[in-house]
Amino acid sequence: MEQAGLIMRAVGWTVGVFHSVERLGEPVPAGPVLVVANHPNALLDPLVIFRVAGRPTRPLAKAPLFEQRFVGTLLRGMGGLPVYRAQDDASLMHRNDDTFRGAIAALRDGEAVQIYPEGRSHSEPSLVPMRTGAARIALGAEAESGWTLGLRIVPIGLTYERKSSFRGRVIAMIGEPFTIAGLGELHEVDAPAAVRALTDEIAARLHDVTVNVAEHRDAELIDTAERLYAREKGISGWRERDPLAARLPRLRAFADGLARLRAADPGRHQRLARTVAHYRHRAALLGVQDGDVPPAYTIGGTLRYIAIEGAFLLVLLPLAAIGTIVWYPTYVAPHVTLRIVRPDIESVATYKLATGFVMVPLTLLAGAIAGFAFDGLRGVLIALALLPVSGLATIAWHDRRRRFAEDARLFFRVLTRRDHQARLAAERARLTAEFDELMVKPDAGVGESQYRLVD
């Protein structure tokens, strides 16, 4: 467990550098817990859960990963358990009996185990049908303990923005834990029925913590709709980059409501989708990637923004310049790996992260050697202290520079394209009025940022 804790901290730090990671909900509780999660991003998913869970969680992962030198070592260090799939090697599927026994034994020992009931990593716009493995492990653990284990199942929904990109964003929405002791009687008389019932329950719980849409283009629709609605209503600032924790409840509300609108009035859904897509296109012409186009700019606010952002970039520039030079090979190496391996889209982030795991210690080692050659032991200590700081400063500087550059481009384009700004404001007002016809605020006591669409 001590080894798993050290790995959890190391993995958590690394994932936090690669992605901006947020958590919505309470950490995974103590005691025997089966974590069930959706699976949009291959090996990065268990690493994100390692970061947000608050305790070690042993992952189940497809068996071929354990044969890879780096990934396999990492998975074994995390207490991973191999899952043998027919598409990998049907002749090895009998070994899953040992895997299931290992997972059940871990739960009976009070550990936490994570599993992905969809059975595969994918980029579908919604959950795919659940496999029964999670339910069989949970029910097996309770049955072998005489239904007194107190096992809890914790659903975690993972939602990514730019999931394959360095400095993308991910939020883990941790749902309410639930127990399964109530299925004991059914399991005793009809085990397959109990497995089906629990699998359905897991699917419903995962649906409640994920964003699900019918088509990929619907994801763009709800992203734009939520963004413009939140800013027109004053929930968010025009150029603010809202954390995913603030956006996720609104995105889920739009996704669920627009799905009902598609079913009830397909024609209106199509018209609304076209209007939102047109708005998105017009905003993109002005260079908007995040936030939205303000209806007006104030001189005081603009100058204040330039002063604050400019001072930040200027102060960090020397350290960021050093970091950019020193860490450039580490930044480039993952792209070289992708050209060589050419993985599927679900594995891109995994290969990038794995390459980074190799390159970071190599860069530190090279820096230490250079420091020793320059100033002996003191040079080594200075290098090992300066290199991580310069790397983090470089990440912060480039993140801030990209935001500043987008804001500057938008500002100057608006100056020369006032007609676009006016048309966006008019379209935004019309769309917000239509959303207001479809949407109502929730009951009192729920956060102002959460809405649901009228049935």
Side-chain angles (χ1 to χ4, degrees), residues 25 115 290:
I115 187 172
D290 206 350

Side-chain angles (χ1 to χ4, degrees), residues 123-127 207 210-223 251-252 254-256 258-259 262 269:
S123 294
E124 298 300 322
S126 61
L127 296 170
H207 187 277
T210 52
V211 179
N212 296 274
V213 294
E215 303 174 359
H216 284 290
R217 64 179 180 176
D218 284 351
E220 295 184 351
L221 187 157
I222 66 169
D223 176 80
L251 290 169
R252 292 187 63 252
F254 271 90
D256 292 344
L258 289 174
R262 177 197 287 269
H269 178 276

Side-chain angles (χ1 to χ4, degrees), residues 62-361:
K62 61 183 181 181
L65 291 176
F66 288 81
E67 298 173 5
Q68 299 179 18
R69 180 173 299 179
F70 170 76
V71 174
T73 301
L74 179 62
L75 284 171
R76 284 187 288 272
M78 296 166 63
L81 298 164
V83 175
Y84 300 89
R85 306 182 307 171
Q87 58 264 47
D88 297 324
D89 188 343
S91 67
L92 298 177
M93 289 186 64
H94 66 279
R95 295 188 181 180
N96 283 326
D97 293 339
D98 293 333
T99 299
F100 276 44
R101 280 193 291 269
I104 290 172
L107 293 173
R108 295 189 66 188
D109 287 340
E111 296 184 60
V113 173
Q114 55 172 288
I115 187 172
Y116 300 86
E118 293 172 292
R120 62 183 176 90
S121 178
H122 65 89
S123 294
E124 298 300 322
S126 61
L127 296 170
V128 300
M130 303 284 125
R131 307 286 180 88
T132 61
R136 286 185 286 140
I137 288 172
L139 292 167
E142 278 290 3
E144 290 187 17
S145 303
W147 300 95
T148 61
L149 181 60
L151 170 69
R152 285 179 283 185
I153 299 179
V154 176
I156 298 183
L158 300 173
T159 301
Y160 288 85
E161 283 188 357
R162 306 186 308 277
K163 72 176 186 177
S164 299
S165 302
F166 180 65
R167 300 308 295 162
R169 300 202 295 176
V170 57
I171 181 168
M173 185 174 182
I174 304 179
E176 289 294 322
F178 66 98
T179 60
I180 62 170
L183 289 172
E185 185 175 339
L186 177 60
H187 186 266
E188 294 301 321
V189 298
D190 191 346
V195 168
R196 288 194 300 271
L198 182 53
T199 300
D200 290 343
E201 177 70 13
I202 289 171
R205 298 277 185 152
L206 281 177
H207 187 277
D208 289 342
V209 293
T210 52
V211 179
N212 296 274
V213 294
E215 303 174 359
H216 284 290
R217 64 179 180 176
D218 284 351
E220 295 184 351
L221 187 157
I222 66 169
D223 176 80
T224 305
E226 180 276 332
R227 186 182 68 206
L228 70 87
Y229 188 86
R231 283 155 182 80
E232 185 73 10
K233 284 295 187 179
I235 299 170
S236 303
W238 291 102
R239 297 302 300 150
E240 288 181 8
R241 279 75 170 179
D242 288 345
L244 285 175
R247 296 194 70 202
L248 188 62
R250 300 193 297 258
L251 290 169
R252 292 187 63 252
F254 271 90
D256 292 344
L258 289 174
R260 291 195 295 272
L261 180 62
R262 177 197 287 269
D265 191 344
R268 188 178 185 184
H269 178 276
Q270 290 181 2
R271 289 192 299 273
L272 187 60
R274 285 195 297 269
T275 305
V276 172
H278 184 266
Y279 181 93
R280 183 185 183 94
H281 175 70
R282 189 180 294 279
L285 290 176
L286 292 176
V288 172
Q289 296 178 357
D290 206 350
D292 212 325
V293 181
Y297 284 96
T298 63
I299 294 178
T302 302
L303 292 177
R304 186 166 54 251
Y305 174 80
I306 292 173
I308 294 173
E309 294 299 312
F312 178 89
L313 293 174
L314 190 61
V315 168
L316 275 188
L317 179 59
L319 198 56
I322 295 172
T324 299
I325 296 171
V326 172
W327 290 101
Y328 185 72
T330 302
Y331 175 77
V332 172
H335 300 281
V336 176
T337 299
L338 295 181
R339 290 195 188 99
I340 296 172
V341 178
R342 299 185 181 277
D344 57 75
I345 186 64
E346 282 76 32
S347 300
V348 166
T350 297
Y351 278 95
K352 284 185 175 182
L353 191 64
T355 305
F357 261 119
V358 174
M359 289 299 299
V360 167

Side-chain angles (χ1 to χ4, degrees), residues 19 72 151 161 211 287 293 357 376 378 400 403 427 437-438:
H19 268 342
L151 170 69
E161 283 188 357
V211 179
V293 181
F357 261 119
R378 187 172 68 171
R400 205 70 167 255
R403 293 198 298 267
E427 289 178 9
E437 293 179 10
L438 298 169

